[in-house]
Coordinates of all heavy atoms in Angstrom, one line a residue:
M1 N 76.8 89.2 67.4 CA 76.7 89.7 66.0 C 77.8 90.8 65.8 O 77.9 91.7 66.6 CB 75.3 90.2 65.8 CG 75.0 90.6 64.4 SD 73.3 91.2 64.2 CE 72.4 89.9 64.9
T2 N 78.5 90.6 64.7 CA 79.5 91.6 64.4 C 78.8 92.9 63.8 O 77.8 92.8 63.3 CB 80.5 91.0 63.4 OG1 79.9 90.7 62.2 CG2 81.2 89.8 64.0
G3 N 79.5 94.0 63.9 CA 79.0 95.2 63.4 C 78.8 95.1 61.9 O 77.9 95.7 61.3
N4 N 79.6 94.3 61.2 CA 79.5 94.2 59.7 C 78.2 93.5 59.3 O 77.5 93.9 58.4 CB 80.7 93.4 59.2 CG 81.0 93.7 57.7 OD1 80.4 94.6 57.2 ND2 81.9 92.9 57.2
K5 N 77.9 92.4 60.1 CA 76.6 91.7 59.8 C 75.4 92.6 60.1 O 74.5 92.6 59.4 CB 76.5 90.4 60.7 CG 77.2 89.2 60.1 CD 76.8 88.0 61.0 CE 77.3 86.8 60.3 NZ 76.9 85.6 61.1
Q6 N 75.5 93.3 61.1 CA 74.4 94.3 61.5 C 74.2 95.3 60.4 O 73.1 95.6 60.1 CB 74.8 94.9 62.9 CG 73.7 95.8 63.4 CD 72.6 95.0 64.0 OE1 72.7 93.9 64.3 NE2 71.5 95.7 64.1
A7 N 75.3 95.8 59.8 CA 75.2 96.8 58.8 C 74.4 96.3 57.6 O 73.8 97.1 56.9 CB 76.6 97.3 58.4
N8 N 74.5 95.0 57.3 CA 73.8 94.5 56.1 C 72.3 94.2 56.3 O 71.6 93.9 55.4 CB 74.5 93.2 55.7 CG 75.9 93.4 55.2 OD1 76.2 94.4 54.6 ND2 76.7 92.4 55.4
K9 N 71.8 94.4 57.6 CA 70.4 94.1 57.9 C 69.6 95.4 57.7 O 70.0 96.5 57.9 CB 70.3 93.6 59.3 CG 71.0 92.3 59.4 CD 70.6 91.6 60.7 CE 71.4 90.2 60.7 NZ 70.7 89.2 61.4
K10 N 68.3 95.1 57.2 CA 67.4 96.2 57.1 C 66.3 96.0 58.1 O 66.1 94.9 58.7 CB 66.7 96.1 55.7 CG 67.7 96.3 54.6 CD 67.1 96.1 53.2 CE 68.1 96.3 52.1 NZ 67.6 95.8 50.8
Q11 N 65.7 97.1 58.4 CA 64.6 97.1 59.5 C 63.3 97.0 58.9 O 62.9 97.6 57.9 CB 64.7 98.5 60.2 CG 66.0 98.7 60.9 CD 66.1 100.1 61.5 OE1 66.1 101.1 60.7 NE2 66.2 100.2 62.8
Y12 N 62.4 96.1 59.5 CA 61.1 95.8 59.1 C 60.1 96.0 60.2 O 60.5 95.9 61.4 CB 61.0 94.4 58.5 CG 61.9 94.2 57.3 CD1 63.2 93.7 57.4 CD2 61.4 94.5 56.0 CE1 64.0 93.5 56.3 CE2 62.2 94.3 54.9 CZ 63.5 93.8 55.0 OH 64.2 93.6 53.9
G13 N 58.8 96.2 59.8 CA 57.8 96.4 60.8 C 57.5 97.8 61.1 O 58.3 98.7 60.7
D14 N 56.3 98.1 61.6 CA 56.0 99.5 61.9 C 57.0 100.2 62.8 O 57.2 101.4 62.7 CB 54.6 99.5 62.6 CG 53.5 99.1 61.6 OD1 53.7 99.1 60.4 OD2 52.3 98.9 62.1
F15 N 57.5 99.5 63.8 CA 58.5 100.0 64.7 C 59.9 99.8 64.3 O 60.8 100.3 65.0 CB 58.2 99.4 66.1 CG 56.9 99.7 66.7 CD1 56.0 98.6 66.8 CD2 56.5 100.9 67.1 CE1 54.7 98.8 67.3 CE2 55.2 101.2 67.6 CZ 54.3 100.1 67.7
E16 N 60.1 99.1 63.2 CA 61.4 98.8 62.6 C 62.3 98.1 63.6 O 63.5 98.3 63.6 CB 62.1 100.1 62.1 CG 61.2 100.8 61.0 CD 61.9 102.0 60.5 OE1 62.8 102.6 61.1 OE2 61.6 102.3 59.3
N17 N 61.8 97.2 64.4 CA 62.5 96.4 65.3 C 63.1 95.1 64.7 O 64.0 94.5 65.2 CB 61.7 96.0 66.5 CG 61.4 97.2 67.4 OD1 62.3 98.0 67.7 ND2 60.2 97.4 67.8
V18 N 62.5 94.6 63.6 CA 62.8 93.3 63.0 C 64.0 93.6 62.0 O 63.8 94.4 61.1 CB 61.6 92.6 62.3 CG1 62.1 91.3 61.7 CG2 60.5 92.4 63.4
L19 N 65.1 92.9 62.3 CA 66.3 93.1 61.4 C 66.6 91.8 60.6 O 66.7 90.7 61.2 CB 67.5 93.4 62.3 CG 67.4 94.6 63.2 CD1 68.6 94.7 64.2 CD2 67.2 95.9 62.4
L20 N 66.6 92.0 59.3 CA 66.8 90.8 58.4 C 67.7 91.3 57.3 O 67.5 92.4 56.8 CB 65.5 90.3 57.8 CG 64.4 89.8 58.8 CD1 63.1 89.7 58.0 CD2 64.9 88.5 59.4
D21 N 68.7 90.5 56.9 CA 69.4 90.8 55.7 C 68.6 90.3 54.5 O 67.6 89.7 54.6 CB 70.9 90.2 55.7 CG 70.9 88.7 55.8 OD1 70.0 88.0 55.3 OD2 71.9 88.2 56.3
D22 N 69.1 90.7 53.3 CA 68.3 90.3 52.1 C 68.1 88.8 51.9 O 67.0 88.4 51.5 CB 69.0 90.9 50.8 CG 69.0 92.4 50.8 OD1 68.2 93.0 51.4 OD2 69.9 92.9 50.0
E23 N 69.1 88.0 52.3 CA 68.9 86.6 52.1 C 67.9 86.0 53.1 O 67.0 85.2 52.8 CB 70.3 85.9 52.4 CG 70.2 84.4 52.2 CD 71.6 83.7 52.4 OE1 72.6 84.4 52.4 OE2 71.6 82.5 52.7
Q24 N 67.9 86.5 54.4 CA 66.9 86.1 55.4 C 65.5 86.5 55.0 O 64.6 85.8 55.1 CB 67.3 86.7 56.7 CG 68.5 86.1 57.4 CD 68.9 86.9 58.6 OE1 68.8 88.1 58.7 NE2 69.3 86.1 59.7
Y25 N 65.4 87.7 54.5 CA 64.1 88.2 54.1 C 63.5 87.4 52.9 O 62.4 87.0 52.9 CB 64.2 89.7 53.6 CG 62.9 90.3 53.2 CD1 62.0 90.7 54.2 CD2 62.5 90.4 51.9 CE1 60.8 91.3 53.8 CE2 61.3 90.9 51.5 CZ 60.4 91.4 52.5 OH 59.2 91.9 52.2
Q26 N 64.4 87.0 52.0 CA 63.9 86.2 50.8 C 63.5 84.8 51.3 O 62.5 84.3 50.9 CB 65.0 86.1 49.8 CG 64.6 85.4 48.5 CD 63.4 86.2 47.9 OE1 63.4 87.4 47.8 NE2 62.4 85.5 47.4
K27 N 64.2 84.2 52.3 CA 63.9 82.9 52.9 C 62.5 83.0 53.5 O 61.7 82.1 53.4 CB 64.9 82.5 53.9 CG 66.2 82.0 53.2 CD 67.2 81.5 54.3 CE 68.5 81.1 53.7 NZ 69.5 80.7 54.7
L28 N 62.3 84.1 54.3 CA 61.0 84.3 55.0 C 59.9 84.4 54.0 O 58.8 83.8 54.1 CB 61.1 85.6 55.8 CG 59.9 85.9 56.7 CD1 59.9 84.9 57.8 CD2 60.1 87.3 57.3
V29 N 60.0 85.2 52.9 CA 59.0 85.3 51.8 C 58.7 83.9 51.2 O 57.6 83.6 51.0 CB 59.4 86.3 50.8 CG1 58.5 86.3 49.6 CG2 59.5 87.7 51.4
E30 N 59.8 83.1 51.0 CA 59.6 81.8 50.4 C 58.9 80.8 51.3 O 58.0 80.1 50.9 CB 60.9 81.2 49.9 CG 61.6 82.0 48.8 CD 63.0 81.6 48.5 OE1 63.5 80.6 49.1 OE2 63.6 82.2 47.6
E31 N 59.2 80.9 52.6 CA 58.7 80.0 53.5 C 57.2 80.3 54.0 O 56.4 79.4 54.3 CB 59.5 79.9 54.8 CG 60.9 79.2 54.5 CD 61.8 79.1 55.7 OE1 61.2 79.0 56.9 OE2 63.0 79.3 55.6
F32 N 56.9 81.6 54.0 CA 55.6 82.1 54.4 C 55.0 83.1 53.4 O 54.8 84.2 53.7 CB 55.7 82.8 55.8 CG 56.4 81.9 56.9 CD1 57.7 82.1 57.2 CD2 55.7 80.9 57.5 CE1 58.4 81.4 58.2 CE2 56.3 80.1 58.5 CZ 57.7 80.4 58.8
P33 N 54.8 82.6 52.2 CA 54.4 83.5 51.1 C 53.1 84.2 51.4 O 52.9 85.4 50.9 CB 54.3 82.6 49.9 CG 54.1 81.3 50.4 CD 54.8 81.2 51.7
N34 N 52.2 83.6 52.1 CA 50.9 84.2 52.4 C 50.8 85.1 53.6 O 49.8 85.9 53.7 CB 49.8 83.1 52.5 CG 49.7 82.3 51.3 OD1 49.8 82.8 50.2 ND2 49.6 81.0 51.4
D35 N 51.7 85.0 54.5 CA 51.6 85.8 55.7 C 52.9 86.3 56.3 O 53.0 86.6 57.5 CB 50.8 85.0 56.8 CG 51.5 83.8 57.2 OD1 52.5 83.4 56.6 OD2 51.0 83.2 58.2
Y36 N 54.0 86.4 55.5 CA 55.3 86.8 56.0 C 55.2 88.2 56.6 O 55.8 88.5 57.6 CB 56.4 86.8 55.0 CG 56.2 87.7 53.8 CD1 56.9 89.0 53.9 CD2 55.5 87.4 52.7 CE1 56.8 89.9 52.8 CE2 55.3 88.3 51.7 CZ 56.0 89.6 51.7 OH 55.8 90.5 50.7
E37 N 54.4 89.1 56.0 CA 54.3 90.5 56.6 C 53.7 90.5 58.0 O 54.1 91.2 58.9 CB 53.5 91.4 55.6 CG 54.2 91.6 54.3 CD 53.4 92.3 53.3 OE1 52.2 92.0 53.2 OE2 53.9 93.2 52.6
E38 N 52.6 89.7 58.2 CA 52.0 89.6 59.5 C 52.9 89.0 60.5 O 53.0 89.4 61.6 CB 50.7 88.7 59.4 CG 49.6 89.3 58.6 CD 49.6 89.1 57.1 OE1 50.6 88.4 56.6 OE2 48.7 89.6 56.4
R39 N 53.8 88.0 60.1 CA 54.7 87.4 61.0 C 55.8 88.4 61.4 O 56.2 88.5 62.5 CB 55.3 86.2 60.4 CG 54.3 85.0 60.2 CD 54.9 83.8 59.6 NE 53.9 82.8 59.5 CZ 53.4 82.0 60.4 NH1 53.9 82.1 61.7 NH2 52.4 81.1 60.2
I40 N 56.3 89.2 60.4 CA 57.2 90.3 60.8 C 56.6 91.2 61.8 O 57.2 91.6 62.8 CB 57.7 91.0 59.5 CG1 58.6 90.1 58.7 CG2 58.4 92.3 59.8 CD1 58.9 90.7 57.3
Q41 N 55.4 91.6 61.5 CA 54.7 92.6 62.4 C 54.5 92.1 63.8 O 54.6 92.8 64.8 CB 53.4 93.1 61.8 CG 52.8 94.3 62.5 CD 53.8 95.5 62.5 OE1 54.4 95.9 61.5 NE2 54.1 96.0 63.7
K42 N 54.1 90.8 63.8 CA 53.9 90.2 65.2 C 55.2 90.2 66.0 O 55.1 90.6 67.2 CB 53.5 88.7 65.0 CG 53.2 88.0 66.2 CD 52.7 86.6 65.9 CE 52.5 85.8 67.2 NZ 52.1 84.4 67.0
L43 N 56.3 89.9 65.4 CA 57.6 90.0 66.1 C 57.9 91.4 66.4 O 58.4 91.7 67.5 CB 58.7 89.3 65.3 CG 60.1 89.4 65.9 CD1 60.2 88.8 67.3 CD2 61.1 88.7 65.0
D44 N 57.7 92.3 65.5 CA 58.0 93.7 65.7 C 57.2 94.3 66.9 O 57.7 95.0 67.8 CB 57.6 94.5 64.4 CG 58.0 96.0 64.5 OD1 59.2 96.3 64.8 OD2 57.1 96.8 64.2
D45 N 55.9 94.0 66.9 CA 55.0 94.4 68.0 C 55.5 93.8 69.4 O 55.5 94.6 70.4 CB 53.6 94.0 67.8 CG 52.9 94.7 66.7 OD1 53.4 95.8 66.2 OD2 51.9 94.2 66.2
Y46 N 55.9 92.6 69.4 CA 56.3 91.9 70.6 C 57.6 92.6 71.1 O 57.7 92.9 72.3 CB 56.5 90.4 70.4 CG 56.8 89.7 71.6 CD1 55.7 89.3 72.4 CD2 58.0 89.4 72.1 CE1 55.9 88.6 73.6 CE2 58.3 88.7 73.3 CZ 57.2 88.3 74.0 OH 57.4 87.6 75.2
I47 N 58.6 92.8 70.2 CA 59.8 93.4 70.7 C 59.5 94.8 71.2 O 60.1 95.2 72.2 CB 60.8 93.5 69.5 CG1 61.3 92.1 69.1 CG2 62.0 94.4 69.8 CD1 62.1 92.0 67.8
Q48 N 58.7 95.6 70.5 CA 58.3 96.9 71.0 C 57.7 96.9 72.3 O 58.0 97.8 73.2 CB 57.4 97.6 69.9 CG 57.1 99.1 70.2 CD 58.3 100.0 70.1 OE1 59.3 99.6 69.4 NE2 58.3 101.1 70.7
S49 N 56.7 96.0 72.6 CA 56.0 96.0 73.8 C 56.8 95.4 75.0 O 56.6 95.9 76.1 CB 54.7 95.3 73.6 OG 54.9 93.9 73.5
K50 N 57.6 94.5 74.7 CA 58.4 93.8 75.8 C 59.8 94.3 76.0 O 60.4 94.0 77.0 CB 58.4 92.3 75.6 CG 57.0 91.7 75.5 CD 56.3 91.6 76.8 CE 55.0 90.9 76.7 NZ 54.3 90.8 78.0
G51 N 60.4 94.9 74.9 CA 61.8 95.3 75.0 C 62.7 94.1 74.9 O 63.9 94.2 75.2
T52 N 62.2 93.0 74.4 CA 63.0 91.7 74.3 C 64.0 91.8 73.1 O 63.7 92.5 72.1 CB 62.0 90.6 74.0 OG1 61.0 90.6 75.0 CG2 62.8 89.2 74.1
K53 N 65.1 91.2 73.3 CA 66.1 91.2 72.2 C 66.3 89.7 71.7 O 66.3 88.8 72.6 CB 67.4 91.7 72.7 CG 67.4 93.2 73.0 CD 68.8 93.8 73.1 CE 68.8 95.2 73.6 NZ 68.1 96.1 72.7
Y54 N 66.4 89.5 70.4 CA 66.6 88.2 69.9 C 67.8 88.2 69.0 O 68.0 89.2 68.3 CB 65.4 87.8 69.0 CG 64.1 87.6 69.8 CD1 63.2 88.5 69.9 CD2 63.9 86.4 70.5 CE1 62.0 88.3 70.7 CE2 62.8 86.1 71.2 CZ 61.8 87.1 71.3 OH 60.7 86.9 72.0
K55 N 68.6 87.2 69.1 CA 69.9 87.1 68.3 C 69.6 87.0 66.8 O 70.3 87.5 66.0 CB 70.7 85.9 68.8 CG 72.1 85.8 68.2 CD 72.8 84.7 68.9 CE 74.2 84.7 68.4 NZ 75.0 83.6 69.0
D56 N 68.5 86.2 66.4 CA 68.2 85.9 65.0 C 66.7 86.0 64.8 O 66.0 85.2 65.3 CB 68.8 84.5 64.7 CG 68.6 84.2 63.2 OD1 67.6 84.6 62.6 OD2 69.5 83.5 62.7
H57 N 66.3 87.1 64.1 CA 64.9 87.3 64.0 C 64.2 86.3 63.0 O 63.0 85.9 63.3 CB 64.6 88.7 63.5 CG 64.9 89.7 64.6 ND1 65.0 91.1 64.3 CD2 65.2 89.6 65.9 CE1 65.3 91.7 65.5 NE2 65.4 90.8 66.4
L58 N 64.9 85.8 62.0 CA 64.3 84.8 61.1 C 64.1 83.5 61.9 O 63.0 82.9 61.8 CB 65.3 84.5 59.9 CG 64.8 83.4 59.0 CD1 63.4 83.6 58.4 CD2 65.8 83.1 57.9
A59 N 65.1 83.1 62.8 CA 64.9 81.9 63.6 C 63.8 82.0 64.6 O 63.0 81.1 64.8 CB 66.2 81.6 64.3
T60 N 63.6 83.2 65.1 CA 62.5 83.5 66.0 C 61.1 83.3 65.3 O 60.2 82.7 65.8 CB 62.6 84.9 66.6 OG1 63.8 85.0 67.3 CG2 61.5 85.2 67.6
I61 N 61.0 83.9 64.1 CA 59.8 83.8 63.4 C 59.5 82.3 63.0 O 58.4 81.8 63.2 CB 59.8 84.6 62.1 CG1 59.8 86.1 62.5 CG2 58.6 84.3 61.2 CD1 60.0 87.1 61.4
R62 N 60.5 81.6 62.7 CA 60.4 80.1 62.3 C 59.9 79.4 63.6 O 59.1 78.5 63.5 CB 61.7 79.6 61.8 CG 62.0 80.0 60.4 CD 63.4 79.5 60.0 NE 63.6 79.6 58.6 CZ 64.9 79.5 58.1 NH1 65.9 79.3 58.9 NH2 65.0 79.7 56.8
T63 N 60.5 79.7 64.7 CA 60.2 79.0 66.0 C 58.7 79.2 66.4 O 58.0 78.3 66.7 CB 61.1 79.4 67.1 OG1 62.5 79.1 66.7 CG2 60.8 78.8 68.4
W64 N 58.3 80.5 66.3 CA 56.9 80.8 66.6 C 56.0 80.1 65.7 O 54.9 79.7 66.1 CB 56.7 82.3 66.5 CG 57.4 83.1 67.7 CD1 58.2 82.6 68.6 CD2 57.2 84.5 67.9 NE1 58.6 83.6 69.5 CE2 58.0 84.8 69.1 CE3 56.5 85.5 67.3 CZ2 58.1 86.1 69.6 CZ3 56.6 86.8 67.8 CH2 57.4 87.1 69.0
A65 N 56.3 80.0 64.4 CA 55.5 79.3 63.4 C 55.3 77.9 63.8 O 54.2 77.3 63.7 CB 56.1 79.5 62.0
R66 N 56.4 77.2 64.2 CA 56.4 75.8 64.6 C 55.5 75.6 65.8 O 54.7 74.7 65.9 CB 57.7 75.2 64.8 CG 58.5 74.8 63.6 CD 59.7 74.0 63.9 NE 60.7 74.7 64.8 CZ 61.6 75.5 64.3 NH1 61.7 75.8 63.0 NH2 62.4 76.1 65.1
K67 N 55.6 76.5 66.8 CA 54.8 76.5 68.0 C 53.3 76.6 67.6 O 52.4 76.1 68.4 CB 55.2 77.5 69.0 CG 56.5 77.2 69.6 CD 56.9 78.2 70.6 CE 58.2 77.9 71.3 NZ 58.7 78.9 72.2
E68 N 53.0 77.4 66.6 CA 51.6 77.6 66.1 C 51.1 76.4 65.3 O 50.0 76.3 64.9 CB 51.5 78.8 65.3 CG 51.7 80.1 66.0 CD 51.9 81.3 65.0 OE1 51.8 81.1 63.8 OE2 52.1 82.4 65.6
G69 N 52.0 75.4 65.0 CA 51.6 74.2 64.3 C 51.8 74.3 62.8 O 51.3 73.5 62.0
Y70 N 52.5 75.3 62.4 CA 52.8 75.5 61.0 C 53.7 74.4 60.4 O 54.7 74.1 61.0 CB 53.5 76.9 60.7 CG 53.8 77.2 59.3 CD1 52.8 77.8 58.5 CD2 55.0 76.9 58.7 CE1 53.0 78.1 57.1 CE2 55.2 77.2 57.4 CZ 54.3 77.8 56.6 OH 54.5 78.0 55.3
K71 N 53.3 73.8 59.3 CA 54.1 72.8 58.7 C 54.7 73.3 57.4 O 53.9 73.8 56.6 CB 53.2 71.5 58.4 CG 52.6 70.9 59.7 CD 53.6 70.0 60.4 CE 52.9 69.2 61.4 NZ 53.5 69.2 62.7
K72 N 56.0 73.2 57.2 CA 56.6 73.6 56.0 C 56.1 72.7 54.8 O 56.1 71.5 55.0 CB 58.1 73.5 56.2 CG 58.9 74.3 55.2 CD 60.4 74.2 55.6 CE 61.3 75.1 54.8 NZ 62.6 75.0 55.2
K73 N 55.8 73.3 53.7 CA 55.3 72.5 52.5 C 56.5 71.9 51.9 O 57.6 72.6 51.7 CB 54.6 73.4 51.6 CG 53.2 73.8 52.1 CD 52.5 74.7 51.2 CE 51.1 75.1 51.8 NZ 50.4 76.1 51.1
Q74 N 56.4 70.7 51.5 CA 57.5 69.9 50.9 C 57.5 70.1 49.4 O 56.5 70.2 48.7 CB 57.4 68.5 51.2 CG 57.5 68.2 52.7 CD 58.9 68.5 53.3 OE1 59.9 68.5 52.6 NE2 58.9 68.9 54.5

């Protein structure tokens, strides 16, 4: 990730570990309108407790949702 891309990202979650730019955040809200905040917090907590790093936080949230059986509404 380039420094420029990183600068455009905002921090989310209680520990502020989840990094999303405005476009990614909007996609998250659109895809998970009822629980996007919980999904952000789940990733935030996991990163805080494990010290894990992820290249793309939106992709991670989407992957976790699929593993939970979440189906995107058409």
Side-chain angles (χ1 to χ4, degrees):
M1 184 177 308
T2 63
N4 204 10
K5 275 189 169 182
Q6 185 73 17
N8 292 331
K9 297 197 177 206
K10 295 177 184 164
Q11 298 172 299
Y12 296 92
D14 291 344
F15 300 109
E16 299 184 336
N17 291 313
V18 178
L19 304 174
L20 301 166
D21 62 28
D22 290 340
E23 183 179 341
Q24 290 174 318
Y25 183 80
Q26 191 57 42
K27 286 179 183 178
L28 188 65
V29 171
E30 290 170 8
E31 290 178 38
F32 306 102
N34 298 321
D35 64 351
Y36 69 93
E37 292 171 319
E38 290 86 358
R39 292 181 182 280
I40 288 171
Q41 192 56 51
K42 181 178 176 182
L43 178 56
D44 186 52
D45 291 342
Y46 190 83
I47 292 170
Q48 186 68 23
S49 68
K50 301 288 186 181
T52 307
K53 295 195 186 297
Y54 293 97
K55 187 174 182 179
D56 185 324
H57 292 168
L58 176 59
T60 302
I61 291 170
R62 286 174 170 164
T63 299
W64 287 6
R66 277 193 302 276
K67 287 180 181 178
E68 293 169 359
Y70 183 85
K71 301 276 190 225
K72 199 173 183 180
K73 291 182 181 167
Q74 297 297 329

